[in-house]
């Protein structure tokens, strides 16, 4: 969680909103103020759950919010922050255009002090368009013609706020922190913008997250230049390692002090000392092999959709810990800051995935599409780069990567990510298996297997045998690469029971997951198994989904199915066997 001592104004609450089904809002200058009558929508939250007539709406929605700006902001730099707007948006302040953004799951900001009325009421207007096309990331052709299997919500789905600080301020902080014996190696890269053009002092303090005791302090002097970069490389004694069972956090606190002793800006971000490596076919955390047990998840809940209430997220982490999970993938997009804050605090290992789900052959031949994805990837990494929980990046989920162009696409994206962040392994999630042309690009292989569900219907044993054979052949083809099962699952309608187990019964789901876990965990080259899915979630309408994808081991409202108890037993058994080796 990024903490600042800057002035902040939360814009959560009721906003005026209006659909623009004809697409005439800009022509009619709605950015100066929405026409009346208009409706009220709560922000942050998708519009789909807030009125029955909006549930299936795909198109343009305009939002408007008035707010008062204090007079003492006049000498400050001010931004408006959006942590997530799905899918495209344009923003105006007091009728002046600020800019646009594309992509629903990364944060962005616009500077606004030039257009504010200080000591007066101001108005922000946001045009949001969730129209789905094959050029979107993720792509599709309509609400019920998505190239991905989750509901396409629209709107301002994550927090919006104003932030103001001195005209000399901290613009960026990148942290590298690893254990080195009994010491901690700490490296900080800091960018300062100095619009005051006066000398200043930069103070870096490393604090214990829980007690806020200062364990290390260093400082540097800045000159009159408008933009300055600083680097600190320190060895810190007596640190505790961030690990699954002991997720110890620290704070990096940055302070800018003027020559007169005034505090110009203060910025904090949390981090942990931990090291992630791949060696000898294993994923290592702090030098020890780890076995990833957990889930693919979705940010989805009744009414609030992609806007996950804090209480629900807290319950989710308690439920995951309760079944002995230690990890999850942010399928199939970067998750919210609060979501990943809880991963840092609870010691969960996270594979952070881009929103590139459902890519077709055409996308691998489109250079503009790759460049658009790179922008989203850069934003994703910038937002979450300091998190100890994020141990790897996933470039995509289930792409049609069985053509040569896919290899070049992922090779270029892999190199792009490594240039930004060389510290974390990179993968993508394949369901093309032996036909996949890009598996050699990645640091570790992720496979989705559904034999016994989408094929081998009703025959779990035949499905498991088929999966094991394919995984073995992939291992033989890439013997140095760890293999992770990133999805395995079966649907279960809550309350539907059958003896003997048949598809869609809770018994079938429990049995299929049990057998896969038993057999896959025996393979030394398999380094993790994630179940699809943690909880049921909303999907587009189709003949093979009854409103929800029912592969969750918990229901949409987080009540356990039969499989939850079985998973707890299997996860516990697997971890116990791994510890005893």
């Amino acid at each position: 969680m990024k903490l600042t001592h800057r002035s902040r104004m939360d814009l959560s609450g009721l906003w005026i909103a209006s659909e623009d089904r004809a697409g005439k809002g800009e022509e009619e200058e709605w950015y100066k103020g929405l026409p009346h009558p208009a409706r009220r929508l709560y922000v942050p939250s998708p519009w789909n759950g807030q009125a029955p007539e909006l549930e299936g709406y795909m198109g343009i929605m305009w939002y408007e919010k008035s707010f008062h700006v204090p007079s003492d902001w006049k000498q400050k730099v001010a931004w408006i922050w959006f942590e997530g707007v799905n899918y495209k948006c344009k923003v105006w302040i007091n009728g002046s255009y600020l800019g646009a953004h594309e992509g629903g799951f990364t944060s962005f900001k616009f500077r606004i002090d030039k257009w504010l009325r200080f000591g007066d009421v101001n108005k922000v207007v946001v045009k949001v368009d969730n129209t789905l096309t094959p050029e979107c990331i993720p792509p599709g052709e309509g609400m019920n013609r998505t190239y991905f299997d989750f509901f396409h919500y629209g709107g301002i789905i994550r927090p919006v706020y104003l932030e103001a600080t001195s005209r000399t301020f901290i613009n960026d902080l990148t942290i590298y922190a690893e254990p080195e014996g009994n010491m901690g190696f700490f490296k900080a890269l800091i960018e300062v913008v100095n619009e005051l053009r006066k000398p200043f002092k930069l103070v870096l303090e490393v604090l214990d997250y829980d007690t806020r005791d200062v364990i290390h302090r260093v400082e540097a002097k800045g000159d009159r230049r408008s933009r300055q970069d600083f680097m600190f490389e320190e060895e810190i004694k007596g640190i505790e390692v961030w690990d699954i069972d002991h997720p110890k956090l620290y704070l990096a606190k940055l302070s800018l002090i003027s020559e007169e002793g005034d505090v110009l800006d203060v910025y904090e971000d949390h981090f942990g000392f931990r090291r992630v490596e791949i060696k000898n076919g294993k994923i290592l955390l702090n030098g020890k092999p780890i076995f990833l047990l957990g889930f693919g998840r979705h940010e989805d809940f009744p009414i609030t959709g992609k806007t996950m209430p804090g209480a629900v997220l807290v319950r989710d982490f308690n439920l995951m810990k309760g079944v002995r999970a230690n990890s999850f993938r942010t399928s199939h997009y970067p998750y919210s800051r609060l979501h990943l804050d809880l991963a840092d605090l609870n010691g969960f290992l996270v594979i952070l995935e881009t929103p590139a789900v459902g890519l077709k052959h055409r996308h691998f031949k489109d250079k503009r599409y790759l460049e658009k994805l790179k922008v989203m990837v850069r934003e994703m990494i910038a937002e979450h780069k300091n998190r100890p929980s994020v141990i790897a990046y996933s470039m995509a989920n289930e792409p049609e990567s069985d053509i040569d162009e896919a290899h070049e696409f992922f090779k270029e994206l892999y190199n792009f990510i490594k240039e930004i962040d060389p510290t974390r392994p990179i993968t993508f999630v394949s369901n093309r298996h032996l036909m996949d042309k890009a598996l050699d690009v990645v640091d570790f292989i992720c496979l989705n297997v559904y034999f016994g569900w989408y094929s081998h219907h009703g025959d779990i044993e035949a499905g498991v045998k088929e999966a094991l054979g394919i995984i073995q052949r992939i291992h033989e083809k890439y013997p140095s690469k760890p293999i992770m099962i990133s999805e395995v699952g079966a649907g279960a309608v809550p309350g539907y029971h059958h003896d003997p187990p048949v598809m869609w019964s809770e018994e079938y789901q429990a049995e299929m997951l049990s057998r896969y876990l038993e057999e896959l965990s025996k393979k030394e080259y398999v380094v993790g198994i994630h179940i699809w899915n943690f909880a049921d979630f909303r999907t587009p309408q189709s003949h093979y989904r009854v409103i929800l994808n029912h592969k969750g081991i918990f229901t949409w409202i987080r009540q356990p199915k039969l499989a939850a108890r079985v998973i707890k037993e299997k996860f516990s058994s697997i971890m116990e066997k791994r510890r005893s080796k």
Side-chain angles (χ1 to χ4, degrees):
M1 57 215 71
K2 294 174 172 63
L3 303 175
T4 71
H5 293 251
R6 303 169 179 177
S7 301
R8 180 175 286 194
M9 184 184 304
D10 185 7
L11 296 185
S12 298
L14 293 175
W15 289 48
I16 297 170
S18 185
E19 303 101 294
D20 184 7
R21 295 177 186 267
K24 295 183 177 180
E26 285 197 59
E27 178 185 337
E28 297 176 359
E29 298 185 328
W30 287 15
Y31 50 83
K32 295 181 178 179
L34 299 191
H36 293 278
R39 65 170 73 241
R40 304 277 179 176
L41 290 177
Y42 189 85
V43 170
S45 194
W47 63 62
N48 310 82
Q50 299 190 52
E53 65 272 19
L54 295 179
E55 184 165 305
Y57 177 59
M58 183 182 74
I60 299 170
M61 182 75 74
W62 290 75
Y63 291 80
E64 176 188 313
K65 180 77 168 179
S66 295
F67 53 92
H68 184 272
V69 174
S71 298
D72 62 5
W73 280 27
K74 193 169 186 178
Q75 304 304 318
K76 296 182 177 182
V77 171
W79 301 275
I80 184 167
W81 275 96
F82 296 85
E83 291 190 9
V85 179
N86 200 33
Y87 169 71
K88 291 181 179 179
C89 74
K90 293 183 176 181
V91 183
W92 291 260
I93 288 279
N94 297 325
S96 295
Y97 179 65
L98 299 179
H101 185 264
E102 181 172 357
F105 306 104
T106 50
S107 66
F108 58 96
K109 66 179 178 180
F110 298 112
R111 187 162 172 176
I112 59 174
D113 42 284
K114 178 180 177 181
W115 293 278
L116 289 177
R117 300 170 184 145
F118 301 99
D120 203 350
V121 174
N122 295 258
K123 182 184 294 181
V124 58
V125 175
V126 184
K127 176 188 177 184
V128 182
D129 187 354
N130 78 326
T131 301
L132 193 59
T133 72
E135 286 69 46
C136 293
I137 304 176
E141 299 175 40
M143 285 295 287
N144 298 313
R145 296 182 65 196
T146 62
Y147 297 177
F148 50 90
D149 188 31
F150 53 91
F151 194 83
H152 182 56
Y153 293 99
I156 303 174
I157 62 173
R158 291 178 184 168
V160 186
Y161 49 88
L162 308 182
E163 191 173 76
T165 190
S166 160
R167 293 189 179 275
T168 293
F169 58 91
I170 297 147
N171 196 49
D172 191 35
L173 167 64
T174 302
I175 298 170
Y176 301 98
E178 293 188 347
E180 294 283 357
N182 296 323
M183 308 278 286
F185 171 75
F186 176 85
K187 180 179 179 180
L189 304 176
I190 302 156
E191 181 185 338
V192 175
V193 174
N194 183 17
E195 294 185 5
L196 296 175
R197 304 300 290 266
K198 295 180 180 180
F200 60 89
K201 179 172 64 176
L202 170 62
V203 178
L204 166 64
E205 294 173 303
V206 176
L207 284 66
D208 184 288
Y209 182 88
D210 301 305
T211 66
R212 294 192 67 86
D213 292 338
V214 177
I215 65 169
H216 195 80
R217 187 180 190 276
V218 65
E219 59 183 62
K221 290 183 178 181
D223 55 34
R224 298 178 184 273
R225 287 175 297 160
S226 62
R227 190 175 295 268
Q228 299 172 51
D229 295 319
F230 297 84
M231 182 176 72
F232 295 103
E233 290 185 295
E234 306 291 319
E235 288 187 342
I236 302 176
K237 297 179 180 179
I239 62 97
E240 297 177 48
V241 173
W242 186 96
D243 212 330
I244 296 169
D245 298 321
H246 184 68
K248 180 61 181 176
L249 293 176
Y250 293 89
L251 287 170
K253 179 181 178 181
L254 302 176
S255 303
L256 295 180
I257 313 294
S258 71
E259 286 187 307
E260 295 75 27
D262 297 324
V263 177
L264 301 172
D265 193 19
V266 179
Y267 181 90
E268 297 179 1
D269 200 4
H270 70 266
F271 68 95
F273 289 93
R274 64 100 179 96
R275 178 185 292 110
V276 178
E277 305 167 278
I278 291 182
K279 287 185 177 180
N280 302 319
K282 304 294 182 184
I283 300 177
L284 307 182
L285 178 66
N286 303 322
K288 299 178 181 178
I290 53 172
F291 195 84
L292 300 173
L293 287 172
F295 303 94
R297 289 175 50 79
H298 265 299
E299 290 190 327
D300 194 53
F301 197 69
I303 299 177
T304 62
K306 286 264 175 283
T307 307
M308 293 287 283
V312 175
L313 284 174
V314 170
R315 181 179 177 87
D316 281 2
F317 276 86
N318 284 324
L319 291 173
M320 287 194 293
K321 288 194 291 185
V323 297
R324 307 300 186 260
N326 62 19
S327 55
F328 63 89
R329 175 168 54 111
T330 68
S331 41
H332 302 296
Y333 39 83
Y335 287 175
S336 71
R337 292 182 180 182
L338 177 58
H339 203 145
L340 296 183
D341 284 345
L342 286 165
D344 291 334
L345 289 162
N346 285 282
F348 274 77
L349 307 178
V350 176
I351 299 173
L352 182 60
E353 188 161 83
T354 79
V357 51
L359 272 58
K360 305 294 185 182
H361 289 164
R362 58 177 289 181
H363 295 115
F364 299 123
K365 303 173 184 179
D366 186 345
K367 182 68 173 178
R368 292 172 301 175
Y369 198 82
L370 175 57
E371 294 305 313
K372 183 191 298 188
L373 178 57
K374 284 180 180 179
V375 173
M376 296 182 186
V377 168
R378 185 181 292 278
E379 291 177 341
M380 176 188 80
I381 294 173
E383 187 165 8
H384 301 297
K385 60 188 174 183
N386 295 333
R387 296 187 179 279
S389 63
V390 176
I391 64 164
Y393 298 120
S394 170
M395 296 184 285
N397 179 75
E398 295 188 347
E400 291 184 348
S401 45
D402 50 4
I403 59 173
D404 292 335
E405 289 87 348
H407 183 276
E408 296 309 306
F409 183 100
F410 283 120
K411 183 179 179 181
E412 184 171 337
L413 185 58
Y414 176 97
N415 291 334
F416 175 78
I417 294 172
K418 281 295 184 183
E419 286 181 9
I420 301 172
D421 182 359
T423 69
R424 292 177 170 97
I426 300 171
T427 188
F428 73 88
V429 174
S430 174
N431 66 349
R432 288 300 190 262
H433 301 156
L434 289 161
M435 296 186 297
D436 203 301
K437 295 293 185 70
L439 293 182
D440 67 305
V441 171
V442 300
D443 297 313
F444 66 104
I445 294 171
C446 282
L447 304 173
N448 291 351
V449 292
Y450 286 98
F451 306 103
W453 186 254
Y454 291 121
S455 68
H456 305 75
H457 301 135
D459 194 339
I460 293 172
E461 293 307 315
V464 171
K465 182 179 179 180
E466 179 74 11
L468 292 174
I470 289 173
I471 296 165
Q472 177 65 32
R473 289 163 67 191
I474 291 174
H475 169 63
E476 291 168 358
K477 189 174 182 179
Y478 307 101
S480 65
K481 295 184 185 292
I483 294 177
M484 178 177 175
I485 306 306
S486 40
E487 291 183 25
V488 58
V493 177
Y496 179 54
H497 298 279
H498 202 280
D499 183 17
V502 297
M503 293 179 70
W504 296 106
S505 69
E506 291 192 27
E507 287 79 7
Y508 190 91
Q509 180 190 49
E511 178 64 17
M512 181 168 161
L513 292 175
S514 176
R515 289 293 297 124
Y516 266 97
L517 286 167
E518 287 171 0
E519 297 303 323
L520 290 170
S521 62
K522 297 175 183 177
K523 303 297 181 182
E524 284 300 317
Y525 52 80
V526 172
V527 297
I529 307 167
H530 279 178
I531 289 166
W532 188 262
N533 192 284
F534 169 74
D536 294 348
F537 57 92
R538 189 76 189 271
T539 63
Q541 296 183 61
S542 73
H543 62 281
Y544 58 89
R545 295 276 185 260
V546 185
I547 303 177
L548 305 176
N549 184 316
H550 284 288
K551 292 189 183 70
I553 69 164
F554 292 93
T555 68
W556 203 17
I557 58 172
R558 276 47 180 182
Q559 293 302 311
K561 300 179 189 177
L562 180 63
R565 177 180 58 80
V566 174
I567 295 308
K568 179 179 180 179
E569 293 173 355
K570 294 299 179 183
F571 278 9
S572 299
S573 174
I574 291 169
M575 293 311 298
E576 189 61 36
K577 290 177 182 177
R578 294 270 162 175
R579 289 193 188 100
S580 64
K581 286 186 178 181

